[in-house]
């Protein structure tokens, strides 16, 4: 079974990659876009899913370095009729196959079965149709090279107008590998050459430059960062900087005209390119007989390799540090300065996985994240600078080794190193290392512990361990400091809550100095029911918050139960410098939940309160009296009757929590009265009821009492009177149990109806019977 993967590789501006990738996915089926990039000269590394177990960690290459390619039957523009185009392609391939220490051959196997053009490459509602012999499944024609004479193929793949001559800097050549074998070999690739970029003789040098770069990626070579000042202009580059600027740089420097007019010999490999292709396809004793005229890499160049480490508490090597650009420069024996011409680079951890997924985002659907990149911790910080050269006539050399941050612009399609989703800034620094006495065949192991990378840790991870199945309670303060320390570390917390509430969890990614950053952990946040660990209720993507380094999950709670929150790194990574500060804000209950009018004190209980917060009831602000981390006391504003929400906001962070329907003013529909007791005997006119009539005001549920509400009593006939107010009508306030009671002085014989009424019209009636006849009890005679 083959592993499918397509990379239509061009120098494209950020923001256009999505369209390119989507169209590419439509073109070749089955296809999965490869998001795992590597530095150190290796674009693809076999992972643990989809490849044979013994292939894990192997760079994915063309088997035996043998490339067989097939070319289009048509022309590639006015300047490249078919025969000329074939020679043009052969010359571009020779840039790579002619490297003396690279075990590579490229052979033209013949022509494709057709002239690939706009009649057989079409884009419709059903998708993009291609001739069978250029699809990923056509492994009998391993590398298909299409000559798009009039640009219609490019337009079908990338959209109308994509082939225009004004787009030649980005769309002159597209393509790359689209199918792998399970034993970690490239078994098919597709390249399309835009004929509209070959209209004049002056078009051919930049076209070849772009073709050589795409061929490099098709071979399995990654982008490389060396002499980056050629792109940035800081410091201003010299001719030596240009001479060492690798052909496989990620982003081109600004040029007012074609790149080949800005950089001398732009289409020629530099030492970094030669070293990278030689590491990927080394000439070794086992294959040298098959490559006449080639030289053994190990005995004709210099190798420096090792690992980059965080320091442990004693300053010794701790966890390996991936994502560091390690640069080797020849020390010029004449000037004593590091050379800009003889320079090569390798990113630490280039063989290690850059994204293996996590519990929040999952492990991938159509293709698992761990399809690419080794899981072996031994290569987590490994770098390899094999292929360093000695200038002609020089028998020994000194090389300077330095480390640097990968340019933050190099991510996604332009990634240098294992972190395709964004650069991780190295922690600490280390002085330049000079390694002297090197000669052809030298093989030096050099591990580097990053100095000055001691991590500030004020009360970090006091709640550990807090795995998914053993989460820690959220601290009552609502804020804590933590770290995702150790590869794959994830932090989980639990809290109990009520339905119809919202919360805010803000996680600030910090650097080793505890300052906010986007250059370390990329926090992803998730919410689960504690009772259902399989279903993620809500997810927040990294850095979606209002300020630098902030990720925020604001979600509604749908049940009264325990919930679980997760904080993970987007990549599934974990390092000592992946620090964070978490702030959790949640309002749970209001007391009292029913009030009759504004001006009364209310208390809000929750988590994460602090001074400076604001509180509103409905749309009206409430004056805060006192605050602690778990309680806010405020004065309820005056509002009309009804159910109101309570919102607490932290203006300093933008976080908010809402309790929907948390407090009720006055009465609402469904509130009613129940008679607690009213039983009395027949009452003589003029006498009082011996048993009071007790009425209780309750909410819709018939149970919850409504203290403080007004209950209006009346009696008919009106001749009878309530003793508490000496009248036939009386307004009383319910006590803490929602109850009010009256005693009636009966002044009318027959039925006396006592009515209790609420302001919403709900009422309850009781009957007291009066009599005008006085009955005397028999008295025992007195005897003397």
């Amino acid at each position: 079974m083959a592993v499918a993967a397509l990379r239509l590789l061009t120098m494209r501006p950020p923001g256009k990659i999505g369209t390119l990738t989507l169209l590419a996915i439509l073109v070749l089926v089955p296809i999965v876009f490869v998001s795992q990039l590597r530095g150190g000269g290796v674009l693809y590394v076999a992972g643990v899913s989809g490849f044979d177990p013994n292939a894990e960690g192997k760079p994915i290459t063309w088997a035996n370095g043998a490339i067989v390619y097939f070319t289009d039957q048509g022309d590639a523009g006015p300047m490249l009729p078919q025969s000329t185009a074939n020679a043009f392609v052969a010359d571009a391939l020779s840039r790579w196959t002619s490297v003396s220490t690279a075990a590579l051959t490229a052979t033209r196997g013949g022509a494709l079965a057709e002239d690939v053009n706009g009649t057989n490459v079409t884009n419709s509602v059903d998708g993009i149709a291609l001739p069978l012999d250029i699809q990923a499944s056509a492994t009998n024609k391993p590398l298909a090279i299409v000559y798009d004479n009039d640009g219609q193929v490019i337009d079908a793949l990338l959209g109308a107008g994509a082939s225009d001559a004004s787009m030649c800097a980005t769309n002159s050549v597209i393509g790359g590998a689209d199918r792998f074998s399970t034993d970690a070999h490239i078994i098919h690739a597709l390249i399309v050459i835009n004929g509209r970029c070959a209209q004049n003789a002056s078009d051919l040098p930049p076209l070849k430059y772009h073709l050589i770069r795409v061929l490099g990626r098709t071979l399995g070579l990654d982008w490389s960062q060396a002499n980056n000042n050629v792109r940035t202009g800081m410091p201003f580059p010299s001719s030596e900087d240009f001479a060492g600027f690798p052909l496989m740089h990620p982003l081109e420097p600004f040029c007012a005209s074609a790149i080949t007019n800005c950089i001398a010999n732009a289409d020629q490999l530099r030492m970094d390119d030669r070293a990278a292709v030689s590491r990927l396809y080394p000439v070794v004793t086992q294959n040298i007989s098959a490559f006449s005229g080639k030289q053994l890499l190990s005995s004709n160049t210099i190798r420096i390799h090792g690992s980059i480490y965080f320091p442990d508490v004693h300053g010794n090597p701790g966890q390996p540090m991936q994502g560091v650009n390690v640069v080797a420069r020849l020390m010029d024996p004449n000037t004593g300065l590091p050379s800009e011409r003889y320079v090569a680079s390798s990113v630490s951890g280039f063989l290690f996985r850059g994204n293996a997924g996590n519990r929040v985002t999952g492990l991938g659907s159509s293709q698992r994240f761990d399809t690419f990149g080794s899981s072996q911790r031994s290569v987590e910080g490994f770098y390899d600078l094999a292929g360093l050269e000695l200038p002609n006539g020089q028998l020994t050399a000194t090389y300077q080794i330095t480390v640097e941050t990968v340019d933050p612009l190099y991510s996604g399609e332009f990634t240098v190193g294992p972190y395709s989703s964004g650069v991780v800034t190295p922690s600490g620094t280390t002085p330049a290392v000079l390694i002297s006495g090197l000669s052809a065949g030298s093989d030096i192991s050099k591990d580097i512990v990053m100095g000055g990378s001691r991590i500030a840790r004020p009360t970090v991870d006091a709640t550990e361990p807090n795995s998914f199945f053993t989460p820690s309670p959220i601290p009552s303060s609502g804020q804590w400091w933590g770290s995702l320390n150790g590869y794959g570390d994830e932090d989980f917390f639990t809290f109990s809550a009520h339905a119809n509430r919202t919360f805010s969890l803000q996680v600030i990614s910090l650097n080793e100095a505890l300052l906010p950053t986007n250059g370390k952990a990329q926090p992803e946040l998730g919410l689960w029911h504690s009772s259902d660990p399989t279903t993620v209720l809500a997810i927040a993507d990294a850095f979606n918050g209002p300020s630098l380094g902030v990720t925020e999950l604001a979600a509604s709670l749908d049940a009264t139960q325990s919930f679980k929150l997760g904080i993970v790194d987007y990549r599934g990574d974990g390092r000592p410098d992946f620090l964070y500060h978490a702030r959790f804000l949640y309002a749970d209950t209001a007391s009292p939940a029913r009030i009759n009018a504004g001006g009364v004190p209310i208390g809000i209980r929750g988590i994460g309160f602090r001074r400076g917060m604001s509180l509103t009831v409905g749309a009206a602000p409430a004056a805060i009296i006192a605050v602690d981390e778990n309680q806010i006391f405020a004065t309820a504003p005056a509002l009309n009757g009804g159910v109101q929400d309570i919102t607490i906001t932290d203006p300093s962070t933008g976080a908010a929590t809402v309790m929907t329907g948390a407090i009720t003013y006055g009465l609402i529909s469904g509130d009613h009265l129940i008679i607690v007791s009213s039983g009395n005997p027949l009452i003589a006119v003029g006498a009082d009821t011996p048993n009071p009539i007790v009425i209780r005001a309750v909410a819709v549920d018939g149970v919850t009492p409504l203290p403080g509400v007004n209950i209006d009593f009346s009696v008919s006939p009106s001749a009878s009177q309530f003793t508490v107010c000496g009248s036939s009508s009386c307004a009383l306030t319910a006590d803490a149990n929602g109850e009010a009671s009256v005693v009636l002085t009966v002044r009318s014989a027959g039925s006396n109806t006592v009515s209790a009424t609420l302001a919403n019209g709900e009422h309850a009636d009781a009957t007291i019977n009066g009599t005008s006849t006085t009955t005397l009890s028999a008295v025992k005679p007195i005897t003397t």
Side-chain angles (χ1 to χ4, degrees):
M1 178 180 176
V3 179
L6 176 68
R7 305 190 58 78
L8 290 183
L9 304 171
T10 68
M11 295 302 298
R12 304 185 61 76
K16 292 190 177 180
I17 297 171
T19 303
L20 173 63
T21 302
L22 176 61
L23 289 170
I25 291 173
L26 294 175
V27 174
L28 302 175
V29 180
I31 288 172
V32 180
F33 177 65
V34 179
S35 61
Q36 306 305 306
L37 307 179
R38 297 293 174 268
V42 181
L43 178 56
Y44 308 114
V45 176
V48 299
S49 298
F51 292 94
D52 297 337
N54 60 1
E56 180 188 348
K58 289 183 178 180
I60 302 175
T61 60
W62 292 89
N64 302 314
I67 303 163
V68 179
Y69 65 97
F70 293 77
T71 57
D72 201 341
Q73 290 189 13
D75 300 333
M79 298 304 299
L80 292 175
Q82 187 193 57
S83 60
T84 306
N86 289 345
F88 188 82
V89 168
D91 183 61
L93 278 163
S94 72
R95 297 289 198 278
W96 298 108
T97 59
S98 62
V99 175
S100 63
T101 50
L104 268 176
T105 61
T107 305
R108 183 174 179 269
L112 296 172
E114 63 283 305
D115 173 8
V116 182
N117 55 50
T119 66
N120 48 38
V121 177
T122 58
N123 189 346
S124 69
V125 293
D126 297 322
I128 299 178
L130 296 176
L132 291 176
D133 66 340
I134 68 170
Q135 293 188 22
S137 57
T139 55
N140 61 325
K141 294 181 179 177
L143 173 55
I145 299 180
V146 171
Y147 301 153
D148 185 13
N149 187 52
D150 55 8
Q152 290 189 39
V153 174
I154 296 285
D155 287 345
L157 296 176
L158 303 184
S163 67
D164 189 82
S166 63
M167 302 291 289
C168 286
T170 59
N171 295 342
S172 60
V173 185
I174 64 173
D178 55 31
R179 198 166 189 86
F180 303 145
S181 64
T182 57
D183 63 349
H185 288 112
I186 302 168
I187 56 176
H188 192 267
L190 171 64
I191 291 176
V192 182
I193 299 174
N194 184 358
R196 297 182 70 181
C197 299
Q199 300 294 304
N200 304 292
S202 60
D203 295 335
L204 298 185
L207 180 61
K208 183 168 289 186
Y209 158 83
H210 290 298
L211 176 59
I212 295 168
R213 283 167 53 80
V214 172
L215 286 168
R217 298 284 275 184
T218 305
L219 292 173
L221 288 169
D222 196 12
W223 303 127
S224 178
Q225 176 178 302
N227 293 0
N228 203 41
N229 62 312
V230 171
R231 185 191 65 79
T232 65
M234 297 181 295
F236 190 79
S238 67
S239 59
E240 289 294 288
D241 288 308
F242 282 101
F245 187 54
L247 185 66
M248 297 303 292
H249 55 267
L251 291 173
E252 296 177 0
F254 173 76
C255 286
S257 58
I259 189 73
T260 50
N261 294 331
C262 298
I263 300 178
N265 302 314
D267 64 345
Q268 299 297 316
L269 305 189
R270 275 43 173 185
M271 185 179 82
D272 185 81
D273 303 309
R274 295 189 293 269
V277 73
S278 297
R279 290 195 296 269
L280 195 58
Y281 296 93
V283 177
V284 294
T285 55
Q286 291 85 352
N287 64 19
I288 192 170
S289 61
F291 293 92
S292 176
K294 297 278 186 168
Q295 299 176 330
L296 290 172
L297 175 67
S298 60
S299 58
N300 288 276
T301 60
I302 297 164
R303 183 188 184 208
I304 301 172
H305 58 94
S307 290
I308 309 295
Y309 291 97
F310 288 93
D312 64 12
V313 293
H314 303 294
N316 298 318
Q319 180 177 331
M321 185 187 298
Q322 63 174 332
V324 179
N325 198 41
V326 185
V327 182
R329 297 183 187 279
L330 177 75
M331 296 300 292
D332 190 319
N334 297 316
T335 65
L337 298 175
S339 170
E340 304 300 335
R341 178 185 295 265
Y342 290 93
V343 57
S345 65
S346 175
V347 180
S348 64
F350 67 92
L351 295 173
F352 193 61
R353 57 176 52 162
N355 182 350
N358 56 64
R359 192 175 289 273
V360 174
T361 59
L363 301 178
S365 52
S366 58
Q367 176 176 281
R368 285 176 60 99
F369 292 129
D370 58 5
T371 299
F372 296 92
S374 173
S375 65
Q376 299 302 311
R377 298 295 299 278
S378 59
V379 297
E380 185 176 1
F382 176 71
Y383 71 92
D384 192 350
L385 288 165
L388 303 178
E389 299 171 356
L390 286 165
N392 289 335
Q394 192 170 325
L395 298 179
T396 62
T398 296
Y399 265 90
Q400 178 198 72
I401 306 299
T402 58
V403 299
E404 63 185 22
T405 301
V406 174
D407 192 314
L409 289 179
Y410 300 157
S411 64
E413 202 61 22
F414 309 107
T415 291
V416 174
Y419 289 127
S420 60
S421 60
V423 169
V424 177
T425 306
S427 290
T429 59
T430 189
V433 177
L434 296 179
I435 303 177
S436 303
L438 300 172
S439 59
S442 293
D443 188 333
I444 304 298
S445 177
K446 180 62 181 178
D447 292 338
I448 298 174
V449 178
M450 294 292 282
S453 57
R454 190 173 301 279
I455 311 299
R457 297 181 180 278
T459 64
V460 163
D461 274 0
T463 57
E464 288 278 12
N466 50 354
S467 69
F468 186 78
F469 293 104
T470 58
S472 297
I474 286 181
S476 62
S477 65
Q479 63 176 324
W480 65 97
W481 281 259
S483 70
L484 302 175
N485 185 4
Y487 190 83
D489 185 29
E490 300 176 337
D491 287 356
F492 293 90
F493 299 87
T494 185
F495 68 104
S496 295
H498 283 85
N500 301 317
R501 303 289 188 262
T502 72
F503 70 89
S504 169
L505 173 63
Q506 291 185 337
V507 174
I508 310 165
S509 183
L510 306 173
N511 64 17
E512 63 272 23
L514 298 181
L515 298 175
T517 181
N518 285 357
K520 296 291 186 180
Q522 295 179 353
E524 298 270 314
L525 311 180
L527 174 71
W528 294 260
H529 288 140
S530 294
S531 59
D532 179 11
T534 60
T535 304
V536 182
L537 302 174
I539 291 174
D541 292 330
F543 306 135
N544 67 341
S547 55
L548 179 67
V550 176
T551 302
E552 181 174 19
L553 176 60
S556 299
L557 302 173
D558 60 354
T560 300
Q561 62 167 260
S562 175
F563 291 85
K564 187 182 297 185
L565 288 168
I567 303 172
V568 303
D569 179 64
Y570 167 75
R571 317 166 186 86
D573 200 3
R575 301 164 43 130
D577 57 352
F578 278 8
L579 309 175
Y580 67 84
H581 178 202
R583 299 182 298 216
F584 180 74
L585 179 60
Y586 168 68
D588 188 58
T589 59
S591 180
R594 299 288 296 255
I595 60 176
N596 288 320
V600 301
I602 55 174
I604 314 298
R605 295 196 62 83
I607 302 174
F609 301 150
R610 58 181 179 177
R611 294 182 184 275
M613 290 185 169
S614 63
L615 187 152
T616 60
V617 180
I624 293 178
I625 303 169
V627 179
D628 66 32
E629 59 192 24
N630 299 125
Q631 194 160 231
I632 293 179
F633 293 97
T635 301
L639 293 171
N640 294 328
V643 178
Q644 302 291 346
D645 301 339
I646 294 178
T647 302
I648 297 173
T649 304
D650 185 350
S652 67
T653 65
T657 175
V658 179
M659 296 190 295
T660 301
I663 192 168
T664 302
Y665 278 68
L667 298 170
I668 60 173
S669 177
D671 292 342
H672 60 280
L673 297 170
I674 58 176
I675 299 173
V676 178
S677 64
S678 63
N680 277 283
L682 190 66
I683 307 297
V685 171
D688 294 342
T689 53
N691 301 319
I693 301 163
V694 182
I695 303 294
R696 180 182 299 150
V698 293
V700 178
D701 60 11
V703 175
T704 305
L706 304 178
V709 302
N710 293 324
I711 303 177
D712 293 325
F713 288 88
S714 63
V715 61
S716 178
S718 59
S720 297
Q721 296 181 342
F722 299 110
T723 60
V724 69
C725 52
S727 173
S728 61
S729 62
C730 206
L732 300 180
T733 300
D735 63 15
N737 296 317
E739 296 179 355
S741 63
V742 292
V743 173
L744 182 69
T745 301
V746 178
R747 297 193 184 279
S748 297
S751 296
N752 289 258
T753 302
V754 175
S755 294
T757 306
L758 292 174
N760 65 357
E762 294 287 337
H763 65 91
D765 299 329
T767 300
I768 304 296
N769 292 309
T771 180
S772 58
T773 303
T774 302
T775 303
L776 300 177
S777 300
V779 179
K780 184 178 180 180
I782 299 174
T783 59
T784 57

